[in-house]
Amino acid sequence: MARNRFLPVVDLPDDWSGALTVVVHDGKVVVLDEHPVEVAAGAPRLLLGTLDGAACFAVDLDGDGVPDLATSDLQDLLVPLRGMYGRLDDARWTLAGRAVQLVEWDRSHRHCGRCGTPTEPAPGERARRCPACGLLARGRNFPMPMYSCLAGFVEPGETLEEAVAREVLEEVGVEVTDIRYVSSQPWPFPHSLMIGFEATWESGDIVIDEREIVDAGWFTPDDLPIVPPAMSIARTLIDRWIERRLD
Ligand SMILES: [Zn+2]
């Protein structure tokens, strides 16, 4: 079973062993089993946390003091984050997404928002501090923008298939047909059962119900957003669909 083996520590524990480096450059990433010093000495680096005890760093290859990429093997290894899907295990996939966000946050907080003085990393915190006026720019929790399958509740007197058709229509304005049961998963939050279906688009463009949905879209296997982890039924449905599309 996959479980979250990642700890988002801001100070490296004494017993870390091994290192992972997520190199970030121009919206592209590569995850390497090496320490940042071996990958790109001199480039700005950030501690992401630990994964199974290994220290995880992000290296910003668009920062100052970066070695010339033109002569580097890294150039060939870097791929867009979305293109990493399926090539990395869940933990590394999530780590790569976290690295991209954290590098972006760090870049956009290099100067104090109040007085313009260059900021410095604040020890022991995911934050940068202004040495002149003391203003602290704190990193948020870096939630991942994640897309999942649509979900809803069965109403009394309705079949499961009717519930699927109704929920899809209500949430994204699309009519579906050919609704097929796939699998189920106990969902103890509380006393529930998740039942997974596939369906085929019949008519309509996506119009989201903004009370329930932030965004929805049509995706292809090579254009996937960040999706739920492997232990979820949503991911089972997504993986089945990808396998079929790639056959
Ligand atoms: Zn300041």
Side-chain angles (χ1 to χ4, degrees):
M1 277 300 252
R3 64 189 178 87
N4 194 357
R5 309 164 309 181
F6 178 77
L7 299 172
V9 297
V10 291
D11 291 313
L12 209 47
D14 293 334
D15 59 350
W16 67 281
S17 67
L20 280 170
T21 297
V22 185
V23 181
V24 181
H25 168 60
D26 195 19
K28 296 177 181 173
V29 288
V30 58
V31 184
L32 301 169
D33 288 280
E34 291 176 81
H35 193 276
V37 169
E38 303 163 53
V39 178
R45 67 171 183 258
L46 299 162
L47 178 67
L48 299 170
T50 58
L51 179 64
D52 295 335
C56 303
F57 299 93
V59 165
D60 178 8
L61 280 195
D62 300 311
D64 298 331
V66 173
D68 186 8
L69 254 195
T71 59
S72 166
D73 297 340
L74 287 171
Q75 187 76 54
D76 299 330
L77 299 175
L78 288 159
V79 293
L81 181 60
R82 284 178 175 183
M84 285 277 186
Y85 178 80
R87 297 199 214 174
L88 294 176
D89 65 41
D90 273 6
R92 288 181 181 220
W93 161 251
T94 307
L95 189 70
R98 193 180 286 265
V100 169
Q101 292 195 68
L102 199 52
V103 162
E104 185 54 42
W105 177 84
D106 197 68
R107 263 184 218 155
S108 54
H109 292 82
R110 290 280 162 78
H111 292 88
C112 176
R114 185 189 287 163
C115 73
T117 303
T119 56
E120 298 166 348
E125 286 191 85
R126 183 71 76 202
R128 295 182 71 87
R129 180 181 293 279
C130 173
C133 74
L135 186 70
L136 197 65
R138 221 179 280 277
R140 289 164 297 120
N141 201 18
F142 300 105
M144 302 280 285
M146 188 190 285
Y147 285 74
S148 187
C149 301
L150 297 170
F153 290 93
V154 180
E155 298 284 345
E158 148 181 273
T159 67
L160 297 174
E161 289 81 0
E162 286 167 346
V164 170
R166 178 183 51 76
E167 286 284 352
V168 172
L169 185 61
E170 283 176 6
E171 294 192 350
V172 293
V174 169
E175 288 189 86
V176 292
T177 184
D178 193 17
I179 297 162
R180 307 171 298 277
Y181 169 79
V182 175
S183 64
S184 61
Q185 180 183 39
W187 193 252
F189 308 111
H191 319 305
S192 295
L193 180 68
M194 295 276 266
I195 306 174
F197 289 85
E198 294 173 347
T200 304
W201 174 88
E202 187 171 50
S203 67
D205 295 323
I206 291 175
V207 180
I208 61 170
D209 176 353
E210 289 178 0
R211 290 164 303 172
E212 303 222 20
I213 304 282
V214 176
D215 188 32
W218 298 108
F219 298 101
T220 58
D222 54 9
D223 183 31
L224 271 188
I226 292 169
V227 294
M231 63 196 298
S232 65
I233 191 169
R235 178 63 174 271
T236 302
L237 293 172
I238 292 167
D239 285 348
R240 268 171 62 96
W241 164 78
I242 290 171
E243 272 175 36
R244 250 193 344 261
R245 290 290 299 261
L246 296 180
D247 273 350

